[in-house]
Amino acid sequence: MITMIIFLMAVTYDGIVLFDFSKGTNTDNWLVVNDGVMGGRSQASFGLSGKGNGLFKGNVSLENNGGFSSVQYRVEPPQIKTHKTIAMRLKGDGKNYQVRIREKQNDYFSYIATFPTTGEWETIEVPLNEMHPSFRGRKLDLPNFNGNTFVELTILIANKKEESFAIELHKAYLK
């Protein structure tokens, strides 16, 4: 009975909520990973904006073969079933970003899709079956995502140039 109540609380008219900063999501389960893991010099941070949304910001550097910055969120694995799309309410800075999901924690690759931002608040929708497998920037010869769940959602910037960036995250859900 308790499990069912929790499940019903997580489902809204929009679908299964992955995170929602207006509902008290905090930054505890978020982890910034920069190209420093491979010797790069990019730097970023993740925290709450003045309006209470998640704010991922920093600088991408190409020094030392760098070139990316990301923030990873460990999700409570959703049961996707009939949900076909990840929708994210966000405000970017006019740059391109990637959304990535990892089906299992020990997978060496992620499923990715690139999306542009306009600099305004918008809802980005990414069909799950259009997310292709990738490892270290290379598309793998494997099928697109067709799983029943995933354990991690990542926002990444890697536009092959030095740039500052900022993206504000309000919520994400499966629809």
Side-chain angles (χ1 to χ4, degrees), residues 18-19 86-91 98-99 115 122-126 153-155 167 169-173:
L18 301 172
F19 65 82
I86 293 177
M88 295 181 292
R89 184 80 179 144
L90 53 82
K91 182 180 180 183
Q98 290 179 6
V99 59
F115 62 91
E122 60 191 316
T123 299
I124 303 293
E125 294 190 0
V126 177
L153 180 138
T154 298
I155 303 296
I167 186 167
L169 306 171
H170 179 68
K171 75 177 185 174
Y173 53 94

Side-chain angles (χ1 to χ4, degrees), residues 20-22 24-28 30 45-57 167-170:
D20 185 345
F21 283 97
S22 69
T25 298
N26 60 42
T27 59
D28 293 346
W30 296 80
S45 63
F46 187 77
L48 294 178
S49 72
K51 296 183 179 180
N53 294 307
L55 179 60
F56 176 46
K57 65 181 182 174
I167 186 167
E168 197 168 349
L169 306 171
H170 179 68

